Amino acid sequence: MGRLQSSVGLVTGTNIQSTVDQLIAFSGQPRDRLQSNITQLGQQQNAIAELTASIIGVQIAGKSLASPDVFQSRKATSSDTDSLSATAGSSVSTGSYEIRTVQLAATHTARSQRSFSSATATLGAAGKIDIAAGGFLEQTTPLGELNLGRGVQRGSIRLTDRSGRTADIDLSNARTVDDVIETINAASGVRVRATADADRITLQDLSGLTVSNLRVEDIGLGETAADLGLSGIDVAANEAHGFDLNPPNSDAARLTSLSSLGIKFGSGTDLLATFSDGSSLALDFNAADAAGPSTVGELLDAINAQANGKFTASLSAEADRIVFADLTTGSSDFTLADGVGAAVASTLRVDREATVGEIVSRSIVKPLRGTSLEDLGGGKGLAALTTLDLQTRDGATASVDLSTAKTIQQVADLINASGLSLSVKLDDSDTGLRLRDLSGGTTANFVISSGDSTANTLGIASDSADAIVDGRSLERQFVDRSTTLASLNQGRGPGVGSFTITDSAGKSSAVNIGVSAFATVGELIDGINALSVDVEAKINERGDGIQLVDRASGGGRLKVVDFGASGSAKALGIVGEATTQTIDGESVSAIVGGELDSFEFSATDTLESLVTRINETGRFATASVVIDDSGNSRLQLLSKKAGAAGRLSIDSTSAGLAIATTSRGQDAQISISSDNGPERFLSSVDGVFKDDSTGLALTLKQLSDDPVRITVDKNPDAVTKAAKTFVDQYNKLVDKLNSLTFYNADTQEVGLLFGTSEALRINLNYGKLLSGQVRGAGDIKSFAAVGIRLNDQGKLELDSDKLVAAIESDSTAVVDFFTKKDTGAIAQLDKVADRLAGANSSLLINRTETLGLKIQRNTERVAAMNQRLESERTRLLKSYYASEAAIAKLQSNQTALDSIQSYSSYTSTQQ
């Protein structure tokens, strides 16, 4: 068993542990002094690190003064900060800019006209809500596209009606032909109505007088009227036509840009032609020229250069279409089709069979105002319009010849000019026509009819006592093969993801919409049609997306499933299972996608349940229940996309839940011009503009009746701010030095770095530069000359007025002083910082390394001393315990001797 050992000697009573501790403590005094030295060295090392950081802070602050951008900084001042605020980058030229606030941004919002007692009240009638993200009929040409791209000079025109009254009409804010028409029609003082057909602007005098001619003049040296084709109108007639802005001129037609028509070339074959003789020809317009044709003329030349005598491409007699003529003979059909990834035939609408050996394209002339009738019906165009018969409720009748109409706006203008008391304009969803009977009569129905299909074609056939007729959607095509996928889904695109297509025979294939796999709708369609599944993809009949038709004739059902949470198929509107539909007169199993969400509801549905369904599956709008001023509940729809890109077409087939637009999605718009420069228009979805041309950043807050003037000046505040930062940073270095080098005579306390050469050299280096001559920095020789000087406490002071005065007096000299390479003030400050605290063998870095080595050596010595002291402790303990054992043994022996002596004495006595 082990032996018990006490810290107190059992024989002598000595406290062995305490005695040994005291002896070791005495022996450890050299070690303790060394440990104290290590602590002090560590504190000095930390102090050196703090000084290093302070010097680097001074260096960084100094570098801000060496940046040319600081001296080129600009300050933008707005004359109306409540309407428009501005900031200017260093690249903005000094001067002034005039900003016209044209339009605020808005997110599309719509609300049900019917209200309900609560969100849980039943709707009471079945119906459907269609929410579409495009297809609007209100199309107008930007003024910048007129006159072969030269645009229209912004200014004012003077208009005189036949009563002799005049009005000066300011068109400086007009961006489009529509803006021009609306501004003229809203002008006070004259009674003139402006309209625009496909080619020109027409003015109609409504004064009913003949005192004066109907006249249009430019004001001053302006050319606004001339650019609009109105200059020179001075007629003794009630109607005057402006010049044709799209003249039937082959030279002008040849200059039409292909990008304005939406034509896109692929990476290989762009146009595939088959001919009457049964042969075919693939045309690649990128083969000879990597850029491809850019105008109609260049396209015609490229086609004819590769036609091999098989066919020709030329302008029509009116120079508004392209005519493709088959030069071969035979019984086969002459057809044109797109190549893979291309959109030439489909965009020109020539992807069909020929009529008598010719295929004629759609019009290549963009109408001034209104959607071309060729773009309606999902892109198939409307059937030829003839005569429309009208009867208002007061019994008045009229017939309107629509055969000359080329656009939906012309249709409306012709009906409005019928002489009947009615008005025609686009409906609330901007996808069809709305006719309103203004007669106030009650003796007859409001009748809209025709001897043929014209009324039905326009979707306005009616025979009703109602005063309003809302036509059906005319389905303007706005998605074709050249449409980019990124522009779909309100500009969010389908994203990067995958989905699987399974045909009715059970065969499946995956479609991966990667970052660059498919860029356009045409490429996606070609990609799907190249899969192993028996599915046909093409543009749908509405002209707003793609459709998938099952051709497998299997026992299952065509379906599309998104892979994981990618949502790409949902974004395209093609997720789900096929239904039986009639497409191109054929009953097929199909999935029709596109920019349309439909939500059917029953009479027992509630607002709450309808809102839930829209928010769960809707792509374009967020639904909610709002409380109106009467405390009743209404359905509200808010576009998921701000600005014009988020504009929605919303239609409900239930009259009891009619949806009306309360805020139309639009971009904020401003115009900007310098005193001597042209006016430019900018758009923004949120009212925040970054004008790359000027470098101005602008924020529109509210509209202003007057132009806002932005004045851009030099901004010395940026220099004084940078100088103050430098001064403050240097003074922090001085404070840090003072806290580390102090000496208190009363207490004899000293700072960690008191008397060190490092502190002295820091003071000397900076003091010499900041208070002495700066050589090689140009005409300015010292910091004091630019308002930066050392005071009697060794700190810097900044005289901002002196600095600004120096800049205003000679900015080049000030810039040179601070920024001159190698010899400038900041370059020399850099050199001081590098000598004192730089990474390569600088004063403080060397001192830090020296301290580190001392700490390391002393730490090693302390470790060795601790080891020796521990050995000494062990030896002393053993010695003390051995002494106790020896003393105990001696005492035991003495006791034994004493016993023997006592026994001897006892024996002697007995004897």
Side-chain angles (χ1 to χ4, degrees):
M1 72 183 282
R3 183 177 62 180
L4 293 176
Q5 201 170 57
S6 172
S7 63
V8 177
L10 298 178
V11 178
T12 63
T14 302
N15 189 331
I16 298 172
Q17 189 67 47
S18 175
T19 302
V20 171
D21 286 345
Q22 291 179 50
L23 291 171
I24 292 300
F26 180 78
S27 299
Q29 286 179 359
R31 177 207 58 189
D32 295 341
R33 286 193 296 273
L34 195 57
Q35 185 66 60
S36 176
N37 180 254
I38 290 173
T39 301
Q40 187 177 28
L41 291 173
Q43 291 172 342
Q44 288 182 11
Q45 197 175 46
N46 290 337
I48 293 295
E50 291 173 1
L51 275 181
T52 302
S54 294
I55 289 172
I56 292 172
V58 173
Q59 185 180 32
I60 292 172
K63 284 183 182 297
S64 66
L65 275 170
S67 171
D69 287 345
V70 173
F71 297 93
Q72 294 170 6
S73 177
R74 300 291 185 260
K75 177 172 62 178
T77 305
S78 171
S79 65
D80 183 359
T81 54
D82 291 335
S83 299
L84 190 76
S85 63
T87 58
S90 60
S91 62
V92 181
S93 300
T94 57
S96 83
Y97 301 84
E98 187 174 86
I99 312 294
R100 294 180 183 272
T101 59
V102 180
Q103 180 174 281
L104 293 174
T107 300
H108 199 99
T109 310
R111 186 175 293 186
S112 64
Q113 293 182 322
R114 181 185 169 194
S115 62
F116 298 84
S117 59
S118 70
T120 57
T122 57
L123 300 178
K128 183 177 69 167
I129 295 177
D130 288 335
I131 304 175
F136 310 112
L137 299 181
E138 184 182 289
Q139 301 292 306
T140 182
T141 300
L143 297 181
E145 293 184 8
L146 299 181
N147 301 309
L148 293 178
R150 295 192 305 274
V152 173
Q153 184 188 87
R154 304 301 196 276
S156 298
I157 64 174
R158 180 166 293 143
L159 183 60
T160 303
D161 67 15
R162 299 212 65 194
S163 73
R165 291 178 294 185
T166 65
D168 290 346
I169 301 173
D170 184 4
L171 297 174
S172 56
N173 278 338
R175 293 194 65 193
T176 65
V177 173
D178 254 354
D179 294 336
V180 172
I181 299 302
E182 292 171 5
T183 305
I184 292 174
N185 290 339
S188 60
V190 292
R191 296 196 62 203
V192 174
R193 182 174 68 187
T195 58
D197 58 22
D199 305 309
R200 60 189 177 180
I201 296 174
T202 297
L203 302 178
Q204 183 180 10
D205 182 85
L206 304 178
S207 70
L209 301 175
T210 58
V211 175
S212 169
N213 278 0
L214 177 60
R215 286 197 302 271
V216 180
E217 305 166 86
D218 270 312
I219 295 177
L221 299 176
E223 297 181 355
T224 304
D227 288 342
L228 291 171
L230 300 175
S231 180
I233 289 180
D234 188 355
V235 296
N238 293 332
E239 186 172 275
H241 300 287
F243 294 117
D244 192 341
L245 293 172
N246 286 319
N249 181 304
S250 61
D251 292 335
R254 286 181 62 87
L255 293 174
T256 301
S257 70
L258 298 182
S259 60
S260 70
L261 299 177
I263 289 176
K264 181 181 182 298
F265 302 121
S267 57
T269 297
D270 295 305
L271 186 65
L272 182 63
T274 59
F275 305 105
S276 300
D277 63 2
S279 64
S280 63
L281 184 65
L283 289 80
D284 180 1
F285 303 126
N286 289 322
D289 181 1
S294 62
T295 65
V296 167
E298 291 174 0
L299 177 63
L300 295 178
D301 293 342
I303 291 173
N304 290 324
Q306 298 184 46
N308 291 342
K310 297 277 188 179
F311 76 119
T312 61
S314 61
L315 290 172
S316 65
E318 295 80 14
D320 63 345
R321 299 174 188 275
I322 297 176
V323 179
F324 298 87
D326 184 2
L327 301 180
T328 69
T329 58
S331 58
S332 297
D333 292 325
F334 174 37
T335 64
L336 297 171
D338 286 319
V340 175
V344 179
S346 58
T347 303
L348 291 172
R349 309 270 171 78
V350 294
D351 49 345
R352 51 191 170 85
E353 294 180 6
T355 302
V356 195
E358 284 189 349
I359 301 177
V360 181
S361 78
R362 58 160 296 167
S363 175
I364 59 172
V365 177
K366 190 173 183 180
L368 293 184
R369 192 180 189 213
T371 302
S372 170
L373 299 181
E374 292 181 299
D375 288 328
L376 305 181
K380 294 184 291 293
L382 296 186
L385 304 178
T386 57
T387 300
L388 195 67
D389 298 319
L390 304 169
Q391 175 183 286
T392 51
R393 293 182 302 162
D394 61 356
T397 61
S399 293
V400 180
D401 182 5
L402 301 178
S403 61
T404 60
K406 297 180 180 178
T407 69
I408 198 65
Q409 185 64 49
Q410 285 180 296
V411 170
D413 290 341
L414 288 168
I415 296 174
N416 280 325
S418 67
L420 297 180
S421 184
L422 56 73
S423 71
V424 184
K425 63 178 184 178
L426 299 180
D427 62 17
D428 191 62
S429 67
D430 194 14
T431 59
L433 292 173
R434 172 178 289 168
L435 284 77
R436 186 185 298 268
D437 185 338
L438 304 176
S439 69
T442 57
T443 59
N445 278 355
F446 187 16
V447 178
I448 306 168
S449 62
S450 57
D452 55 12
S453 61
T454 295
N456 288 325
T457 297
L458 292 172
I460 55 175
S462 176
D463 187 350
S464 169
D466 292 335
I468 297 176
V469 173
D470 268 329
R472 64 171 175 80
S473 170
L474 294 176
E475 296 180 344
R476 181 181 76 85
Q477 180 179 11
F478 62 98
V479 172
D480 58 24
R481 288 183 58 87
S482 67
T483 302
T484 63
L485 293 182
S487 68
L488 301 179
N489 195 26
Q490 292 181 312
R492 293 183 292 270
V496 177
S498 302
F499 56 87
T500 58
I501 301 175
T502 304
D503 63 23
S504 60
K507 187 180 294 183
S508 295
S509 289
V511 178
N512 179 24
I513 301 182
V515 175
S516 59
F518 305 109
T520 66
V521 170
E523 291 173 357
L524 176 60
I525 286 174
D526 293 338
I528 293 174
N529 288 332
L531 298 174
S532 60
V533 291
D534 199 0
V535 172
E536 178 189 19
K538 64 179 181 178
I539 302 292
N540 66 30
E541 289 194 308
R542 292 192 308 266
D544 70 346
I546 67 172
Q547 67 184 22
L548 305 177
V549 177
D550 182 75
R551 298 300 184 188
S553 301
R557 190 173 290 274
L558 166 67
K559 61 182 177 181
V560 178
V561 178
D562 268 315
F563 181 78
S566 70
S568 295
K570 179 184 176 183
L572 294 167
I574 57 173
V575 72
E577 291 191 352
T579 58
T580 301
Q581 303 186 45
T582 301
I583 297 177
D584 292 332
E586 179 187 6
S587 180
V588 293
S589 178
I591 296 175
V592 179
E595 304 282 270
L596 175 71
D597 283 339
S598 290
F599 302 95
E600 295 186 358
F601 55 87
S602 67
T604 58
D605 274 321
T606 66
L607 275 183
E608 193 172 65
S609 65
L610 182 57
V611 164
T612 299
R613 196 175 329 140
I614 292 174
N615 288 336
E616 284 178 347
T617 61
R619 290 176 289 160
F620 309 121
T622 299
S624 62
V625 176
V626 295
I627 308 301
D628 61 20
D629 294 338
S630 302
N632 294 322
S633 298
R634 295 178 187 266
L635 172 67
Q636 178 167 285
L637 298 171
L638 179 69
S639 176
K640 292 183 178 180
K641 180 83 171 179
R647 187 178 169 195
L648 299 175
S649 165
I650 303 173
D651 187 28
S652 173
T653 58
S654 169
L657 195 64
I659 308 295
T661 296
T662 55
S663 175
R664 180 174 168 178
Q666 61 184 28
D667 291 340
Q669 295 178 359
I670 61 173
S671 73
I672 180 171
S673 59
S674 61
D675 290 337
N676 299 314
E679 184 177 28
R680 293 174 295 102
F681 282 87
L682 305 178
S683 296
S684 163
V685 297
D686 58 3
V688 178
F689 302 84
K690 179 63 172 73
D691 183 19
D692 294 333
S693 178
T694 63
L696 283 172
L698 305 160
T699 301
L700 178 62
K701 303 172 185 176
Q702 64 183 30
L703 296 182
S704 171
D705 293 333
D706 300 316
V708 179
R709 185 152 292 272
I710 303 297
T711 304
V712 180
D713 297 309
K714 291 181 179 180
N715 184 19
D717 293 345
V719 182
T720 57
K721 182 180 178 181
K724 186 178 185 308
T725 300
F726 168 68
V727 166
D728 291 344
Q729 204 65 41
Y730 179 78
N731 290 339
K732 287 179 182 178
L733 170 62
V734 173
D735 289 339
K736 177 58 66 178
L737 267 173
N738 290 340
S739 70
L740 295 173
T741 59
F742 74 91
Y743 167 68
N744 190 319
D746 295 331
T747 63
Q748 299 297 305
E749 288 182 282
V750 296
L752 282 171
L753 300 181
F754 174 74
T756 61
S757 61
E758 289 80 17
L760 179 62
R761 287 181 61 183
I762 289 171
N763 272 321
L764 287 175
N765 275 264
Y766 276 115
K768 181 179 178 181
L769 176 61
L770 295 172
S771 63
Q773 291 282 312
V774 180
R775 301 187 182 279
D779 294 337
I780 297 176
K781 306 297 184 184
S782 68
F783 278 91
V786 291
I788 301 174
R789 58 178 294 274
L790 285 171
N791 61 22
D792 53 6
Q793 269 110 43
K795 288 190 173 183
L796 285 177
E797 292 178 345
L798 173 64
D799 186 340
S800 298
D801 292 338
K802 189 172 184 178
L803 176 57
V804 172
I807 294 172
E808 291 176 350
S809 174
D810 191 346
S811 60
T812 301
V814 175
V815 171
D816 285 346
F817 174 75
F818 284 113
T819 67
K820 207 163 188 181
K821 188 178 180 181
D822 297 331
T823 58
I826 304 306
Q828 297 195 42
L829 273 170
D830 261 352
K831 293 175 183 177
V832 170
D834 287 341
R835 287 198 302 269
L836 296 175
N840 298 320
S841 300
S842 63
L843 175 71
L844 297 184
I845 294 299
N846 287 341
R847 179 60 174 161
T848 299
E849 291 175 352
T850 299
L851 290 172
L853 289 173
K854 286 183 177 181
I855 291 171
Q856 181 181 352
R857 286 197 298 267
N858 289 348
T859 301
E860 291 171 353
R861 290 175 62 191
V862 166
M865 294 173 76
N866 282 334
Q867 189 174 5
R868 288 197 299 271
L869 288 172
E870 192 59 35
S871 298
E872 180 67 12
R873 177 188 295 278
T874 302
R875 187 187 65 77
L876 286 173
L877 286 174
K878 287 182 178 179
S879 177
Y880 273 104
Y881 286 125
S883 296
E884 284 290 327
I887 293 171
K889 187 173 183 181
L890 288 173
Q891 288 180 341
S892 176
N893 290 339
Q894 184 63 47
T895 301
L897 289 173
D898 289 343
S899 297
I900 293 172
Q901 185 177 1
S902 298
Y903 177 76
S904 300
S905 299
Y906 173 78
T907 304
S908 300
T909 303
Q910 291 294 319
Q911 291 177 347

